[in-house]
């Protein structure tokens, strides 16, 4: 998914970058079982290096992979950890999107709509058309599930 691709130029160590890239390759091909170990390794390295930005990025990625593989409780833990940090607006938009998709996976359309609306708002304020489009698309999915 396009919203998962983050630009981390110069922010993470080469080892973290490698694990992120390998996990992204697995994720894009639908291999969550491959993505999760790579991103878990990236998170461990980022924590060891005290790289807060790489930690948040990796937690957001892990939340998505766990959600897509059915690990909703693990996804919630990852998103909860992100929400306890002071995050920048691009990460905040991703957090709201992740929460919205998690609510959707749990069939909580009202919670999904609230989070996805906020994600859409933040993406628009950042002038991020792909992010806003992703949030809008998923709002459409919510409305279809609600029969609207």
């Amino acid at each position: 998914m396009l919203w998962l691709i983050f630009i981390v130029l110069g922010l993470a160590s080469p080892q973290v970058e490698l694990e992120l890239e390998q996990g992204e390759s697995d994720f894009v091909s639908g291999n969550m079982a491959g993505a999760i170990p790579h991103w878990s390794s990236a998170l461990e390295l980022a924590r060891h290096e005290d790289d807060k930005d790489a930690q948040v990025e990796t937690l957001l990625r892990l939340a998505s992979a766990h959600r897509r593989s059915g690990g909703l409780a693990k996804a919630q833990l990852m998103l909860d950890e992100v929400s306890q940090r002071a995050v920048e607006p691009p990460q905040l938009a991703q957090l709201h999107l992740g929460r919205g998709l998690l609510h959707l996976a749990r069939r909580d359309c009202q919670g999904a709509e609230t989070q996805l609306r906020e994600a859409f708002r933040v993406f628009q304020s950042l002038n991020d058309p792909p992010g806003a489009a992703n949030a809008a698309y998923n709002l459409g999915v919510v409305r279809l599930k609600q029969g609207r």
Side-chain angles (χ1 to χ4, degrees):
M1 297 181 96
L2 192 58
W3 69 271
L4 277 176
I5 300 173
F6 294 86
I7 299 172
V8 190
L9 299 175
L11 294 178
S13 72
Q15 294 124 334
V16 172
E17 288 289 337
L18 179 62
E19 292 293 344
L20 288 173
E21 289 172 16
Q22 290 174 332
E24 186 70 23
S25 176
D26 285 330
F27 183 86
V28 169
S29 69
N31 180 9
M32 300 308 116
I36 290 170
H38 285 297
W39 288 341
S40 294
S41 294
L43 180 60
E44 186 177 316
L45 289 165
R47 285 182 170 150
H48 179 72
E49 297 168 6
D50 199 31
D51 185 336
K52 304 295 186 201
D53 288 330
Q55 289 175 44
V56 169
E57 175 183 345
T58 307
L59 285 164
L60 288 166
R61 290 177 183 223
L62 278 166
S64 182
H66 282 298
R67 177 185 48 79
R68 289 186 68 182
S69 66
L72 303 184
K74 287 182 181 179
Q76 183 69 57
L77 289 173
M78 302 294 153
L79 294 173
D80 288 347
E81 187 172 342
V82 171
S83 69
Q84 294 172 7
R85 300 169 183 260
V87 296
E88 298 296 318
Q91 297 166 333
L92 182 61
Q94 296 294 337
L95 175 61
H96 284 296
L97 182 64
R99 284 179 172 169
L101 294 173
L102 185 59
H103 281 290
L104 190 56
R106 290 180 169 153
R107 296 181 177 85
D108 172 12
C109 289
Q110 185 175 3
E113 185 171 1
T114 300
Q115 291 297 318
L116 292 168
R117 281 182 184 271
E118 187 60 18
F120 181 77
R121 186 194 66 73
V122 177
F123 281 125
Q124 278 193 316
S125 75
L126 295 169
N127 194 28
D128 181 348
N134 190 355
Y137 170 82
N138 284 293
L139 272 167
V141 171
V142 169
R143 289 184 178 150
L144 282 172
K145 288 185 180 286
Q146 293 174 322
R148 294 197 265 166

